[in-house]
Amino acid sequence: MNNLVLSIFPGIDLLGKAFEEIGFCVVRGPDLLWGGDIRTFHPPAGVFGGVIGGPPCQMFSQLRYLNLLASQKHGNMIPEFERVVSEAKPQWFLMENVPAAPVPEVIGYKVHSIVYNNRWAGGVQQRERRFSFGTPEGQKLLPEEVIFETTEESLAVLAGHGPTPGKRRAVTMLASSGGALHPGNFNRPPLPIMCELQGLPSAFCDDMPFTTVGKRQVIGNGVPLPMGRAIAKAVRKAISP
């Protein structure tokens, strides 16, 4: 099994981090965050066992109606994901995006697409994402789910602001310091709490060379680690002989 994985649209690559934790070797492609441009990137064919990535989701997000200009910056970048996969010719690929995003289509691959919730992997944060898994044979992506969800619950951490408004339920977000955000308080949570809700250490972004706004964006855009680990394990199981 080829454990070399190409990660495109990586950002700070929490999804790639999850794949690394279970034994994959992840090579990161260009990203606007680091001055790169996926549109000029052409991977070698047959080198990578898999390609993973999450193209910008603003065009398909439920919150796009709150800012009609949000999707104009990047537009639909899923065709670029499809192009890179077509050129790389991996044994499999995995695309992550919001539930409303279209399923990628690449000649030679059959795609199994699921919507998975971070809480099903044992996380506190309520966050759904669509994962589209493509292989020539059409293997299914079957991530495991915990028997019981945790009693603590948080709405989704976002890149632009605080937890998603609209679901009035008992929400308490606990940080290691004992701080809390209570029901009805939709202000931006402190960065340490954002990190913990994403499955990261509270001080994860302390040394990042970004402004506070920038740190919120890169943390909020990432795939929660509990979810990422469950998906990575499901991929490994699906491609194992």
Side-chain angles (χ1 to χ4, degrees):
M1 182 175 66
N2 184 348
N3 282 326
L4 189 61
V5 172
L6 171 64
S7 177
I8 56 177
F9 305 100
I12 59 171
D13 207 14
L14 300 188
L15 181 60
K17 180 178 176 62
F19 274 82
E20 287 175 332
E21 286 185 1
I22 67 166
F24 287 91
C25 178
V26 178
V27 175
R28 291 167 179 85
D31 193 283
L32 288 175
L33 190 63
W34 316 111
D37 190 344
I38 190 68
R39 294 170 297 183
T40 61
F41 175 66
H42 299 281
V47 172
F48 299 99
V51 173
I52 63 175
C57 65
Q58 291 89 344
M59 192 168 187
F60 312 107
S61 170
Q62 290 182 349
L63 299 179
R64 65 187 181 276
Y65 302 111
L66 300 180
N67 181 0
L68 299 180
L69 300 178
S71 64
Q72 293 184 7
K73 182 176 182 181
H74 302 295
N76 181 8
M77 297 296 285
I78 292 178
E80 289 297 322
F81 180 92
E82 296 167 332
R83 175 189 62 79
V84 170
V85 170
S86 181
E87 292 182 6
K89 294 180 171 53
Q91 298 164 12
W92 57 271
F93 69 81
L94 177 78
M95 191 188 85
E96 169 268 332
N97 215 293
V98 294
V103 175
E105 298 180 2
V106 182
I107 295 175
Y109 295 85
K110 300 176 183 178
V111 181
H112 180 240
S113 183
I114 63 169
V115 174
Y116 190 78
N117 195 312
N118 179 58
R119 291 183 58 80
W120 301 345
V124 173
Q125 182 185 174
Q126 183 79 247
R127 189 183 187 119
E128 288 186 335
R129 304 297 282 183
R130 177 175 296 282
F131 292 92
S132 299
F133 180 57
T135 61
E137 297 80 17
Q139 284 101 323
K140 291 186 176 181
L141 190 67
L142 301 172
E144 295 182 356
E145 299 179 10
V146 295
I147 298 177
F148 300 106
E149 294 182 10
T150 175
T151 56
E152 296 180 16
E153 185 176 0
S154 161
L155 301 184
V157 171
L158 305 179
H161 22 277
T164 307
K167 296 183 179 179
R168 297 282 183 168
R169 59 180 69 181
V171 178
T172 302
M173 297 186 297
L174 299 176
S176 59
S177 62
L181 295 179
H182 299 286
N185 181 357
F186 296 117
N187 295 323
R188 296 181 178 183
L191 272 167
I193 295 181
M194 288 184 67
C195 290
E196 290 187 0
L197 290 175
Q198 290 285 67
L200 300 164
S202 60
F204 180 79
C205 61
D206 284 1
D207 295 326
M208 288 183 179
F210 305 133
T211 63
T212 298
V213 171
K215 290 178 181 180
R216 290 184 183 279
Q217 289 177 342
V218 297
I219 295 297
N221 280 331
V223 174
L225 271 181
M227 175 188 286
R229 293 186 185 108
I231 296 298
K233 290 176 182 177
V235 168
R236 184 175 62 184
K237 183 176 180 180
I239 65 175
S240 296

